[in-house]
């Protein structure tokens, strides 16, 4: 295969990837887009296999078979509620693969046509080390994010004194090591800088709390793209550069959207410690909530309220995902719809643990996407709604975000459920949400609390709807 | 001198880095505009599919794993092939699963 033909095929494959992303602008074109993406990957792989320096196929095909089987198995057995963890885990693999490829390039540069060992040009070494560093940070960062999402590590932000100083110091050290490596091509320096990046990945994600996981997952998504980009620069491979840039841009935009939905700067999220210091002060200074006025309802009460409403807006949150309540919910929605009650869903951008998580869960339960609305589309309608039914969500409905400048969530756009005639809160307990703030809505006149597991409670409500 | 001027702007007179940089910057712009068009409801599939396509790093892994004689470089490449393949198959299939759910809804609606 000539370089020109290969480049042309790589270009074709890049276009396929762009189409794949473009397809996601509507659910109608998305599936075709995904097939186009697969096609692009096939073209890229086959083109590379016909490269003159790819001589032994046994290992390669074996590797693809092993990896492909594992990947297929994971994809088929995945529960959609566990999607955020899985995404984090997958990002880590891209990161680790980038490190492997960078190391391999250093060991045997001739295979990649970038010079002989110990005579690799400075720029390639620089790109190689940057690619490896980003890959390594992506790897350990994603492993930490995975552990937090999976509940192996506590979702609480872990922070200690001098943390930012330490991270800044390590960051500078990393840059120094990269330059030293690029001038000397010493493989021990390469492993040192990669090791340091592994450490940095851990330290960067540990202090970030559970509520910020949507941002973290998006950020790591972005990093995995930049890592691929770095490798693309090292190998002067346009396909890797283009694809890496697409993925990097995509992750960056998602992080931006998530941050905006929480009214926080990306820097603020990265520096972490959300829900610790400010929070303790807030809860210490304010009078401890007595919960004296909290009205608790039974499933019968909830069923009665819902049946006699004309319009209902359901606000799902992470709690719905945890208890897998979406299918029971679908049953409830069907029953109410048969009674000509208007039912809609309102999704906050940061509901759940990854961007768009709630939409997927509702889609899984066969809820038509025409009934599912984003915050901007539906927020105005709460004032004309009879019942706002909040299932396993908390912070995204907390009016303190508007009224209390001392609250850590102040300024975050919220769903105005308080404006509905009646607010039903389905929660496991009075415990505050991830941000660690009490929700004054619980004590309002027009609020009724339903305590219990989301799925069981919704099932009870279904039984009580005649 | 005119000759020099003429050739100095041609692609073959540029360093590979410069060419790569041009491709990179343009690709970031394409990515930026394409991704803003993605509907928020499909942000999860977007993440899954970008995850799958970032595994195009398998191209580097295949080259690393390509030589006949066994070396550290080849073993590293082999690992990278496995890792990237998990991602490619897993990522595209999960995207497919998610998107098929969005599709089903539409059919039931009509």
């Amino acid at each position: 295969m000539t370089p020109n033909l290969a480049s042309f095929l790589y270009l074709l494959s890049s276009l396929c990837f762009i189409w794949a992303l473009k397809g996601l602008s509507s659910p109608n074109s998305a599936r075709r887009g995904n097939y186009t993406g697969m096609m692009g990957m096939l073209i890229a792989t086959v083109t590379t296999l016909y490269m003159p320096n790819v001589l032994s196929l046994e290992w390669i095909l074996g590797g693809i078979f092993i990896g492909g089987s594992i990947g297929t198995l994971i994809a088929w057995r995945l529960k959609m509620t566990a999607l955020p963890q899985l995404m984090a885990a997958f990002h880590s693999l891209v990161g680790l693969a980038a490190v492997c490829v960078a190391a391999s390039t250093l060991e045997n540069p001739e295979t990649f046509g970038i010079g002989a060992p110990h005579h690799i040009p400075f720029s390639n070494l620089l790109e190689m080390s940057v690619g490896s560093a980003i890959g390594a940070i992506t790897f350990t960062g994603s492993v930490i994010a995975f552990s937090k999402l999976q509940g192996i590590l506590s979702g609480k932000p872990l922070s200690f004194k001098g943390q930012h100083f330490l991270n800044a110091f390590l960051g500078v050290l990393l840059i120094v090591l990269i330059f030293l490596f690029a001038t000397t091509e010493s493989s021990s320096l390469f492993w040192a800088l990669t090791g340091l990046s592994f450490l940095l990945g851990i330290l960067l994600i540990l202090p970030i709390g559970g509520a910020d996981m949507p941002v973290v997952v998006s950020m790591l998504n972005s990093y995995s793209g930049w890592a691929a980009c770095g490798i693309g620069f090292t190998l002067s491979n346009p396909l890797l550069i283009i694809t890496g840039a697409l993925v990097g841009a995509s992750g960056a935009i998602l992080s931006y959207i998530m941050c905006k939905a929480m009214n926080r700067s990306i820097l603020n999220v990265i520096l972490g410690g959300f829900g610790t210091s400010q929070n303790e002060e807030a809860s210490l200074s304010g009078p401890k909530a007595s919960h004296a006025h909290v009205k608790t309802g039974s499933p019968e009460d909830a069923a009665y309220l819902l049946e006699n409403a004309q319009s209902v807006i359901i606000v799902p949150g992470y709690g719905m995902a945890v208890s897998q309540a979406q299918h029971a919910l679908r049953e409830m929605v069907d029953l109410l719809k048969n009674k000509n009650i208007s039912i809609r869903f309102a999704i906050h951008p940061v509901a759940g643990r990854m961007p768009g998580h709630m939409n997927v869960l509702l889609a899984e339960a066969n809820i038509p996407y025409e009934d599912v609305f984003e915050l901007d589309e539906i927020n105005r309608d709460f004032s004309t709604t009879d019942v706002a039914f909040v299932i396993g969500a908390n912070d995204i409905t907390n009016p303190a975000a508007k009224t209390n400048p001392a609250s850590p969530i102040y300024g975050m756009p919220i769903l105005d459920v308080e404006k509905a005639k009646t607010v039903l809160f389905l929660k496991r307990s009075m415990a505050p949400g991830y941000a660690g703030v009490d929700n004054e809505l619980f004590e309002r006149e027009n609020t009724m609390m339903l305590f219990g597991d989301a799925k069981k409670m919704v099932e009870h409500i279904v039984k009580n709807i005649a | 001198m005119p000759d020099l001027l003429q050739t100095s702007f041609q692609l073959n007179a540029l360093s590979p880095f410069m060419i790569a940089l041009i491709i990179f910057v343009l690709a970031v712009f394409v990515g930026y505009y394409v991704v803003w068009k993605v509907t928020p409801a499909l942000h999860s599939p977007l993440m899954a599919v970008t995850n799958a396509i970032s595994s195009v790093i398998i191209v580097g892994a295949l080259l690393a794993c390509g030589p006949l004689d066994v070396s550290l470089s080849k073993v590293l490449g082999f690992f990278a092939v496995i890792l990237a393949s998990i991602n490619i198959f897993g990522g595209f299939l999960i995207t497919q699963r998610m998107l098929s759910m969005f599709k089903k809804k539409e059919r039931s609606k009509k």
Side-chain angles (χ1 to χ4, degrees):
Chain A
M1 179 158 308
T2 66
N4 278 336
L5 179 58
S7 301
F8 177 76
L9 291 172
Y10 280 159
L11 176 64
L12 209 62
S13 146
S14 319
L15 287 179
C16 289
F17 293 152
I18 295 173
W19 269 316
L21 298 189
K22 195 177 170 295
L24 290 168
S25 54
S26 110
N28 298 325
S29 54
R31 275 179 342 120
R32 210 180 322 127
N34 195 39
Y35 287 126
T36 320
M38 293 180 190
M39 186 62 82
M41 191 58 79
L42 190 67
I43 296 173
T45 314
V46 173
T47 305
T48 314
L49 289 181
Y50 275 100
M51 288 292 198
N53 40 2
V54 177
L55 299 166
S56 109
L57 285 181
E58 296 89 355
W59 285 46
I60 291 177
L61 295 179
I64 294 180
F65 179 76
I66 298 172
S69 322
I70 300 175
T72 310
L73 211 67
I74 295 174
W76 281 119
R77 301 188 57 181
L78 171 80
K79 284 209 174 87
M80 283 300 160
T81 36
L83 196 60
Q85 294 83 305
L86 183 86
M87 280 298 116
F90 273 8
H91 293 150
S92 77
L93 300 183
V94 180
L96 196 57
V99 173
C100 286
V101 174
S104 166
T105 322
L106 177 67
E107 288 292 323
N108 194 358
E110 283 149 322
T111 322
F112 301 90
I114 56 167
H118 307 294
H119 293 92
I120 305 175
F122 173 81
S123 62
N124 290 85
L125 289 172
L126 197 63
E127 291 152 1
M128 183 192 300
S129 49
V130 171
S132 176
I134 303 176
I137 292 176
T138 312
F139 173 64
T140 47
S142 303
V143 169
I144 299 295
F146 171 81
S147 315
K148 287 197 171 198
L149 288 163
Q150 184 74 26
I152 300 169
L153 280 177
S154 150
K156 285 209 180 99
L158 290 172
S159 45
F160 50 89
K161 269 209 171 119
Q163 188 168 31
H164 301 325
F165 178 76
L166 177 68
N167 285 349
F169 171 74
L170 292 178
V172 172
L173 187 63
L174 179 62
I175 294 170
V176 172
L177 281 179
I178 287 176
F179 271 95
L180 279 179
F181 164 72
T183 43
T184 60
E185 202 189 326
S186 129
S187 56
S188 50
L189 272 177
F190 175 84
W191 290 113
L193 75 88
T194 305
L196 181 63
S197 307
F198 279 135
L199 181 66
L200 208 53
I202 298 176
L203 289 174
L204 280 176
I205 306 301
L206 267 184
I208 304 184
D212 288 336
M213 278 305 144
V215 184
V216 172
V217 175
S218 317
M219 219 167 63
L220 291 167
N221 184 220
S222 183
Y223 286 178
S224 68
W226 303 132
C229 235
I231 302 300
F233 269 94
T234 319
L235 307 180
S236 290
N237 184 317
L239 174 63
L240 281 184
I241 297 176
I242 296 174
T243 314
L246 290 176
V247 177
S250 163
I253 290 177
L254 288 179
S255 324
Y256 170 79
I257 295 174
M258 294 300 117
C259 283
K260 218 176 141 221
M262 296 191 294
N263 189 39
R264 304 177 58 205
S265 71
I266 185 93
L267 206 65
N268 183 293
V269 173
I270 295 168
L271 294 181
F274 192 42
T276 47
S277 56
Q278 299 159 296
N279 228 4
E280 279 160 27
E281 278 168 41
S283 54
L284 284 178
S285 60
K288 201 76 194 144
S290 60
H291 306 318
H293 312 291
V294 173
K295 266 194 297 194
T296 311
S298 65
E300 291 81 18
D301 301 330
Y304 178 80
L305 269 170
L306 288 167
E307 275 181 303
N308 290 294
Q310 290 194 327
S311 55
V312 176
I313 297 180
I314 299 175
V315 179
Y318 188 58
M320 180 192 86
V322 172
S323 77
Q324 303 256 27
Q326 64 269 32
H327 300 284
L329 197 59
R330 156 80 185 183
E331 255 182 88
M332 187 189 92
V333 168
D334 281 346
L335 285 173
L336 292 173
K337 270 191 177 166
N338 286 340
K339 294 174 185 282
N340 280 327
I341 300 168
S342 137
I343 310 260
R344 288 179 296 172
F345 288 83
I347 309 239
H348 192 279
V350 291
R353 289 290 172 270
M354 78 182 277
H357 192 192
M358 288 299 132
N359 301 77
V360 171
L361 294 180
L362 294 178
E364 188 192 16
N366 272 329
I367 288 162
Y369 61 78
E370 290 89 342
D371 293 349
V372 181
F373 295 87
E374 305 298 320
L375 180 127
D376 299 333
E377 296 172 315
I378 201 166
N379 222 0
R380 229 171 293 134
D381 298 356
F382 277 107
S383 49
T384 54
T385 297
D386 296 320
V387 178
F389 191 5
V390 184
I391 303 179
N394 184 354
D395 296 329
I396 56 172
T397 64
N398 193 338
K402 284 185 167 171
T403 53
N404 180 7
S407 168
I409 58 169
Y410 182 69
M412 168 171 134
I414 55 160
L415 287 160
D416 295 323
V417 294
E418 54 172 330
K419 290 189 179 150
K421 261 184 217 139
T422 312
V423 187
L424 279 175
F425 262 102
L426 173 39
K427 266 173 99 348
R428 261 183 307 206
S429 66
M430 277 304 285
Y434 252 101
V437 208
D438 276 324
N439 193 338
E440 61 180 85
L441 267 189
F442 298 166
E443 303 187 30
R444 292 264 175 99
E445 267 301 284
N446 63 344
T447 301
M448 185 194 276
M449 304 295 297
L450 300 165
F451 291 116
D453 174 75
K455 186 178 173 191
K456 283 192 189 122
M457 187 59 87
V458 174
E459 281 167 352
H460 277 300
I461 296 176
V462 168
K463 272 182 212 147
N464 282 294
I465 295 177
Chain B
M1 274 322 251
D3 276 356
L4 190 68
L5 262 178
Q6 250 177 1
T7 52
S8 61
F9 290 107
Q10 285 171 353
L11 278 180
N12 56 14
L14 299 180
S15 72
F17 174 77
M18 215 45 227
I19 299 175
L21 187 68
I22 293 170
I23 297 173
F24 171 71
V25 173
L26 291 178
V28 170
F29 270 88
V30 171
Y32 181 85
Y33 287 105
V34 170
V35 171
W36 270 117
K37 287 253 158 59
V38 174
T39 166
L42 294 180
H43 276 163
S44 285
L46 170 68
M47 195 172 277
V49 84
T50 50
N51 184 254
I53 68 174
S54 65
S55 313
V56 75
I57 204 163
I58 196 171
V59 166
L62 294 175
L63 291 174
C65 194
L68 283 172
D69 40 333
V70 178
S71 60
L72 175 61
S73 155
K74 186 180 164 94
V75 174
L76 285 168
F78 177 65
F79 272 117
V81 170
I82 296 180
L83 295 173
S85 303
I86 296 179
N87 241 315
I88 292 173
F89 283 78
F92 278 123
L93 278 174
I94 286 170
T95 314
Q96 196 62 27
R97 265 186 69 192
M98 279 193 257
L99 292 175
S100 68
M101 298 185 308
F102 279 90
K103 180 197 96 195
K104 235 193 291 176
K105 272 183 334 193
E106 197 189 37
R107 219 193 274 149
S108 68
K109 181 87 185 171
K110 273 179 183 168

